Amino acid sequence: MFKLEKIFYQNNQRNILNNLNCEIPLNKTTVIMGKNGSGKSTLLKLLNKIILPSSGKLRSNLKRPVPMLFQKPIEFENTVEYNFLILHKIKKHIINRKWFDEFGLDGIKDQHINTLSGGEKQKLFLSRLMSFNQNNLFLDEPNQGLDLESEKLFIELISQEKHKKTILITLHDFEIAKKIADSILYLDKGKIYIYEETHQFFNKFQV
Amino acid sequence: MINYQKIFEAISISLHVSILSTLFAFLLSLFLGYLIAINKFFLKKTIIACLASLTSIPPVCAGLIVYLLISRSGPLGWMEILYTPSAMIIAQFFIIFPIMITLIINYIEDEYPRFRQELNSYGASKRDLIFLMIVNKKSIYFTVLLIGFGRAISEYGAAAIVGGSIDHVTRNMTSMIALETSKGNIIVGVILGLVLISLSLIISFVMSVMKKKDHV
């Protein structure tokens, strides 16, 4: 479980997160939503211990950060296959190719990354992360650039993972959130505006 | 009568001196660039600002400084390298090193925070991080090399001051152009000028290809 107690985070004298108090359960899918600049990505990084809070306490089972999907993941000037495998040189792990194959990347594995569209790159970054078989997933706007068909596939694939893993996702799309979230945490100007189980959230929020 | 042997000699001296000065400057820029960009220390900003302002150092001044250092009465006079290709390499190094290291520092400072955050989540060590940053955009380093080489091979003042334009030893393309033109051998100047222009065109072409490759 992630337990946040009076969490504040400041960057360049600007308050990004303001007095967050909540508990995020394990083995559930929690979607973090909110407008641009509301602190979603910062909260995700903080939960993954990539950044530390300016003040307050974060209790969690995580000892150190785990691989996560960033909004602008690192691209290596090389082929799709190279980009998929290169990070396994740092973190040795049995490679799970399921997402890579499902997204049809095997057919373009020898293409240079610079020839891919934004959506294809996003599929590659998602597949690269999922190749590590982690129990905790931190995904920052995983659907960016995906077309409707790929988005549908993403929902299907993440739904297959969600029962056995703790998943934290930032999203803008309420429809996707409705399909995959067990609970939704809505941030507004760095504060928790609503944090409810999905059906209650949609009852209250009337999106 | 055109002495082609002398022309080839000048081209070979230019290439030898410029390739070596570029390689030395590049290796030191890479090493110090990373060291400066990824560490926090006192006077960091001042050092970066000084390096940036040295990018526009006039070649003649760089030559003069190197001359004062390596002339017989200078602190490095004991090395006895004045009017040798080694002196020209050092002078060119002084001109291109600030340019190359500033470009490398700018690139690393832009990319490092993103790399650190993402790769730390994979448990990367600082060594892994630097290795992956280097292999990530090889074209950046290639561009830095080409910019350095282009500047080194085309400069005149510094190499002339410390090299002395000695026949068969330190007479490179630029000093030969100046000398032969002043003697009225315009055709030799034109031939060497064309070689220099061709080299710079090749460098520009390769750089634009690398740039295109970056933005496909």
Side-chain angles (χ1 to χ4, degrees), chain A residues 45 67 72 74-75 77 114, chain B residues 114 121 136 139 213-214 216:
Chain A
K45 285 180 194 170
K72 282 185 188 168
I74 301 168
E75 294 173 21
E77 267 188 14
N114 289 349
Chain B
R114 202 163 66 90
S121 76
N136 176 46
S139 61
K213 211 176 146 195
D214 266 359
V216 175

Side-chain angles (χ1 to χ4, degrees), chain B residues 184-199:
Chain B
N185 289 335
I186 306 293
I187 189 74
V188 175
V190 170
I191 291 171
L192 285 167
L194 286 173
V195 174
L196 260 183
I197 290 170
S198 309
L199 273 172

Side-chain angles (χ1 to χ4, degrees), chain B residues 100-118:
Chain B
M100 294 171 97
I101 195 169
T102 301
L103 290 170
I104 288 176
I105 288 173
N106 284 346
Y107 162 65
I108 302 164
E109 281 200 318
D110 281 352
E111 292 286 310
Y112 185 68
R114 202 163 66 90
F115 265 74
R116 195 188 53 201
Q117 282 199 344
E118 182 161 352

